[in-house]
Amino acid sequence: MPGTNPVPNTADQHQDHMTIVGIGAVTGYGWGRETLWEGLLSGKPAARLFPGYGPERDRHGWVARVPEGGDPELGPSRYARAAHESVREAIADAHARGWKPGRTVGLLHAIVLGDVYEWRDFYLVDNGRRRSRDYMRLLPSTPVSMLMQEFGFHGPSMNVSAACSSANVALITAQLWLAQGFADDVIVVATDLSATADMVEHFVELGAAVTDAEPLSACRPFQEGSRGFSMGEASTAFVMSRNAERPYAAMLGGAMSNDGYHVVSVDPSHQQIFDCVRRALSSADVRPEEIAYLNAHGSGTKQCDDAETALLAKMFDDQPLVCATKPLTGHCQGAAAGVEVAAIALGYERGVVVSAPIVAPAHARLVDGVVPGSDGLTLKTSLGMGGHNSAVVLGPVS
């Protein structure tokens, strides 16, 4: 294991910042945050072989799809059930940790494509003919409305979309709402169940995704031999508040930017990514040397590896330990950062840092599997297609 960071730090001096009070998760490992945690600790990918992939839809493909489950009363859509159940779990968790909702509770739903499976069936199975009530389930506003109704929340509510950076962006937006007094507490949920063969094939053709190999053979961020990412699905939810007895972690600050360069490619200068991270650190009032961990976007593509390796060297003098969990959970697109923030927050509480196991020659600071630690600040980067950059700074709380 690489050595520990020479300047450990905590978020104790930032107790007035927004904290993660409750966590809910539905992932390729199954339903519930403990199922996610057990999967991460196992070091085994969530992906399984599913039929119907490949250009002719005649091959099996490695994808980390959310299995069937959840409350059947919510209807047939796995997407809707996953979003709803992750929020239910997060709110129940927050209550158990002493959270008392304020007068105004808002909700942010981070999405990219919405309910892909149901839209596919709407066109190809139902030929566009459904009862109005069944059609309404397809609209991005419906899950938000249903959640606000169930819990009696009346604060601001909206969907947030910034490609694969969406979950980070939703957390930053929640922080802005709290800072401006728009809400006393904010529920942040990020949902992406889009690993259909039709969707995945385009990412394969772009050279970003890999379905023909087991994830640890194909997705190796910061390691030799990486070919790209394995697709994953997830819904993760957080209760964000300043009012809780036992929060998981504090969110100290964050920032967003856009390369303004290309719809797919990362700007090779990496300047907008660097600037985004600088502004995130400034927002959190921390110095680069205070960052103990870089929880990387870590998609396993060459562009992302090059960008984050440059970031690590030029801004942080290769000091933080590097964590990358996408080989385990898959790249969950709009929910990707949500899965990774959940892993960070759970790791703070449980005193460990989680990353995928190293299987090839790797960056000297890459964490190999599960190691003791998590007593310092974490920079969580998320790089979305179309140049959507985001970074948040998280820290433990006592």
Side-chain angles (χ1 to χ4, degrees):
M1 171 194 155
T4 56
N5 188 282
V7 189
N9 199 353
T10 71
D12 291 344
Q13 68 270 39
H14 300 284
Q15 291 299 304
D16 60 332
H17 283 72
M18 180 175 77
T19 60
I20 297 173
V21 178
I23 300 173
V26 178
T27 67
Y29 286 117
W31 294 68
R33 67 178 171 276
E34 294 304 324
T35 303
L36 165 63
W37 186 247
E38 290 168 6
L40 292 170
L41 294 184
S42 76
K44 298 178 181 178
R48 302 181 303 281
L49 279 171
F50 288 90
Y53 287 81
E56 305 302 323
R57 309 296 184 260
D58 58 352
R59 303 176 188 171
H60 282 70
W62 287 98
V63 288
R65 282 166 46 173
V66 166
E68 289 295 332
D71 183 356
E73 294 297 318
L74 294 170
S77 167
R78 281 187 307 121
Y79 178 93
R81 281 183 270 130
H84 219 94
E85 294 281 35
S86 64
V87 171
R88 285 176 173 174
E89 183 180 36
I91 289 176
D93 186 31
H95 282 305
R97 290 173 168 271
W99 175 60
K100 295 179 175 58
R103 185 176 63 87
T104 304
V105 179
L107 187 144
L108 288 158
H109 191 191
I111 66 169
V112 175
L113 293 169
D115 198 339
V116 169
Y117 292 90
E118 286 292 302
W119 275 111
R120 178 195 61 189
D121 290 349
F122 174 73
Y123 285 111
L124 300 182
V125 177
D126 301 332
N127 296 312
R129 298 183 181 275
R130 284 191 176 190
R131 294 181 304 170
S132 294
R133 62 178 296 178
D134 294 330
Y135 169 75
M136 292 299 294
R137 290 202 308 263
L138 300 172
L139 303 182
S141 58
T142 298
V144 172
S145 176
M146 296 298 291
L147 286 164
M148 297 297 276
Q149 291 176 54
E150 176 170 336
F151 294 101
F153 298 150
H154 302 285
S157 61
M158 59 184 276
N159 291 298
V160 175
S161 188
C164 301
S165 197
S166 295
N168 254 10
V169 167
L171 289 169
I172 295 166
T173 305
Q175 188 173 53
L176 294 173
W177 280 7
L178 291 178
Q180 294 299 316
F182 291 168
D184 301 308
D185 312 279
V186 183
I187 312 302
V188 173
V189 55
T191 308
D192 199 303
L193 275 68
S194 62
T196 65
D198 297 335
M199 294 294 175
V200 173
E201 189 60 28
H202 289 286
F203 287 97
V204 173
E205 291 177 354
L206 288 168
V210 180
T211 60
D212 63 359
E214 192 272 341
L216 292 179
S217 297
C219 182
R220 299 175 175 179
F222 304 96
Q223 303 176 59
E224 292 182 8
S226 187
R227 295 170 53 202
F229 58 79
S230 297
M231 189 75 83
E233 298 179 339
S235 183
T236 54
F238 307 97
V239 177
M240 312 302 297
S241 178
R242 294 191 181 95
N243 178 29
E245 295 173 2
R246 294 185 297 119
Y248 286 95
M251 179 173 157
L252 309 185
M256 304 173 276
S257 73
N258 193 284
D259 281 358
Y261 175 75
H262 195 273
V263 296
V264 176
S265 300
V266 174
D267 180 354
S269 76
H270 306 139
Q271 288 307 305
Q272 298 306 318
I273 296 172
F274 294 171
D275 184 60
C276 178
V277 170
R278 289 189 192 98
R279 288 189 290 110
L281 297 178
S282 176
S283 169
D285 192 25
V286 301
R287 303 181 307 277
E289 59 267 26
E290 293 181 86
I291 297 297
Y293 308 99
L294 170 64
N295 187 289
H297 183 65
S299 66
T301 64
K302 185 178 187 307
Q303 289 192 89
C304 283
D305 270 11
D306 287 350
E308 292 186 300
T309 298
L311 174 71
L312 192 66
K314 295 180 180 180
M315 286 193 62
F316 297 97
D317 197 27
D318 282 330
Q319 289 304 302
L321 297 177
V322 181
C323 306
T325 55
K326 282 185 175 67
L328 300 178
T329 63
H331 189 345
C332 301
Q333 304 299 303
V339 176
E340 290 144 12
V341 168
I344 294 166
L346 291 168
Y348 276 139
E349 182 191 53
R350 298 165 193 201
V352 297
V353 176
V354 178
S355 188
I358 294 175
V359 296
H363 192 288
R365 302 299 285 171
L366 183 63
V367 172
D368 186 4
V370 183
V371 299
S374 77
D375 59 347
L377 303 183
T378 300
L379 174 71
K380 168 64 206 148
T381 51
S382 191
L383 311 178
M385 190 172 289
H388 290 279
N389 308 312
S390 66
V392 299
V393 180
L394 302 164
V397 291
S398 58

